[in-house]
Amino acid sequence: MPSTTNTRTEARRQRLLSLLADGEFHSGEHLAKRLRISRGGIWKLVRTLRAMGIDIESVPRQGYRLPRAVDLLGKDELIAAMSPATQALLAQVDVMLTVDSTNRYVYQSAAATDGRAQICIAELQNAGRGRRGRSWVAPFGSGICMSVGWQFQESPPTFSALSLAVGVAAVRALRRCGATDVGLKWPNDLVWQNRKLGGILIEMRGESAGPAHVVIGIGLNMLMPSAVRLALAEQQAALIADVHEILHERTPQRNVLAAAVAEEIVAMLQIFAANGFEPFIDEWRKLDTLAHAQVKVISGTDTTVGTACGVELDGALLVDVGGQLRRFVSGEVSLRAAR
């Protein structure tokens, strides 16, 4: 259990960020009065936030500010943006300033019960994870890092295709918010104009017969700094897109988009529990950005070049290699457009 001092410090950090969220300068004296602490206390809070990776500027005789206005995440705002029907299916919701990994947090706390979801969303992750051990980078205020925990009473049909169904749910949420031309790249990427908009990471545990616990991690780029775009491109050999680039002034608040994503995932999970991937496969195929394209599949030290031919009901990718269809299974391959 966190100590009272740690809880109070965390609350002050959150309060300070809410005061700075407008991107304007605020004097140390003004901030100190609002938080009812000394100006030295404000400096200590600023120092700890900077240590977390939050860029706070300080200018003599002007005060402190964030480099730009930030749309902060909030538990009340997140829940309020969901329908009453979805709210009734929430077992636990945590909105955090910082966490090692939202997936790990949900996996370890395991608050989800059969038919009820656990949600964790964080401003910052210290050890955010992507597929195949890569890190997931999302600077403060730049994206959505969220995990949804769920328990199936028993393993659904075509369980191995769950990540593909999550992709369909995420695209539906983005469409609700105005982004109508987002596609999917097998096995777990959301893309726009051939650039990566987001990613999905699923972890699970359970017996072969009995309840199955899953944690669905999803990261979406909302407004990525140009320097971070370059770093990610170098790290992942992929160009980055973000929601603001797609929607500009129509970009929704992060709480609104995160609520839409959570709502669509929870709705999908209820259908998936009974019917597996079948109700989603036709929609996934329409969103498939690799359909009929020449692709290069990398598995370990093996490289296969062929034509992508969509997916099967279990989520496997089909590739035509010299007239012969070959199957590739999620988690064992990486996919690149052929050169």
Side-chain angles (χ1 to χ4, degrees):
M1 292 290 291
S3 68
T4 302
T5 300
N6 289 340
T7 301
R8 184 167 57 247
T9 300
E10 180 71 9
R12 285 173 173 168
R13 288 173 184 158
Q14 294 275 14
R15 178 62 175 152
L16 178 58
L17 285 174
S18 70
L19 293 171
L20 296 175
D22 60 7
E24 302 295 331
F25 277 111
H26 296 267
S27 71
E29 182 180 4
H30 168 75
L31 295 172
K33 286 181 179 178
R34 295 293 299 272
L35 269 66
R36 298 182 179 179
I37 59 177
S38 67
R39 293 180 64 176
I42 293 295
W43 168 243
K44 290 179 181 179
L45 289 176
V46 168
R47 188 171 56 187
T48 60
L49 290 170
R50 285 173 173 167
M52 293 178 184
I54 300 175
D55 185 13
I56 299 178
E57 299 175 355
S58 59
V59 176
R61 294 185 293 279
Q62 292 191 68
Y64 303 96
R65 72 172 181 182
L66 295 173
R68 61 175 176 83
V70 174
D71 171 24
L72 293 175
L73 298 168
K75 179 176 178 178
D76 292 343
E77 293 82 357
L78 179 68
I79 295 174
M82 299 180 194
S83 68
T86 301
Q87 293 175 17
L89 296 175
L90 301 179
Q92 180 174 315
V93 177
D94 294 295
V95 177
M96 311 173 76
L97 174 58
T98 182
V99 69
D100 56 353
S101 157
T102 57
N103 259 33
R104 186 177 297 141
Y105 179 88
V106 171
Y107 192 89
Q108 292 177 345
S109 55
T113 58
D114 186 36
R116 289 170 62 82
Q118 176 185 2
I119 295 173
C120 176
I121 184 168
E123 290 284 6
L124 291 167
Q125 292 188 108
N126 299 322
R129 290 170 290 165
R131 185 169 170 267
R132 305 188 73 190
R134 298 186 183 97
S135 61
W136 181 266
V137 179
F140 173 71
S142 69
I144 292 173
C145 299
M146 178 171 64
S147 295
V148 179
W150 187 265
Q151 176 181 297
F152 294 105
Q153 191 59 37
E154 56 184 25
S155 294
T158 60
F159 200 5
S160 56
L162 178 59
S163 65
L164 276 64
V166 172
V168 171
V171 170
R172 289 176 177 177
L174 285 159
R175 190 181 298 139
R176 280 171 53 181
C177 294
T180 58
D181 52 355
V182 176
L184 295 171
K185 178 183 175 185
W186 186 91
N188 58 3
D189 284 351
L190 292 96
V191 297
W192 181 73
Q193 296 187 357
N194 296 316
R195 288 178 284 145
K196 186 168 181 175
L197 179 66
I200 297 160
L201 177 66
I202 293 182
E203 299 176 88
M204 61 186 70
R205 68 172 184 269
E207 305 295 333
S208 56
H213 302 265
V214 298
V215 179
I216 299 165
I218 183 163
L220 286 172
N221 303 325
M222 289 290 293
L223 181 57
M224 297 293 282
S226 57
V228 176
R229 282 172 172 260
L230 291 173
L232 287 172
E234 292 176 357
Q235 173 189 330
Q236 299 181 6
L239 296 177
I240 304 301
D242 62 41
V243 175
H244 186 268
E245 183 181 3
I246 301 171
L247 295 176
H248 303 288
E249 71 278 358
R250 296 183 294 118
T251 300
Q253 292 184 330
R254 285 194 295 157
N255 288 304
V256 171
L257 180 53
V261 172
E263 196 160 59
E264 292 290 349
I265 288 176
V266 169
M268 176 276 296
L269 287 167
Q270 295 174 85
I271 298 171
F272 196 95
N275 303 293
F277 186 46
E278 187 172 7
F280 307 97
I281 191 169
D282 288 343
E283 188 171 355
W284 197 95
R285 286 169 173 163
K286 292 177 182 178
L287 296 167
D288 182 5
T289 59
L290 294 174
H292 313 302
Q294 286 290 304
V295 295
K296 180 171 62 176
V297 185
I298 303 172
S299 180
T301 58
D302 297 329
T303 299
T304 303
V305 176
T307 303
C309 297
V311 297
E312 292 193 302
L313 200 56
D314 64 352
L317 175 70
L318 295 176
V319 178
D320 184 334
V321 183
Q324 180 181 7
L325 282 181
R326 293 185 57 181
R327 284 169 45 92
F328 294 89
V329 181
S330 176
E332 297 179 4
V333 300
S334 63
L335 195 60
R336 300 285 191 273
R339 294 185 181 276

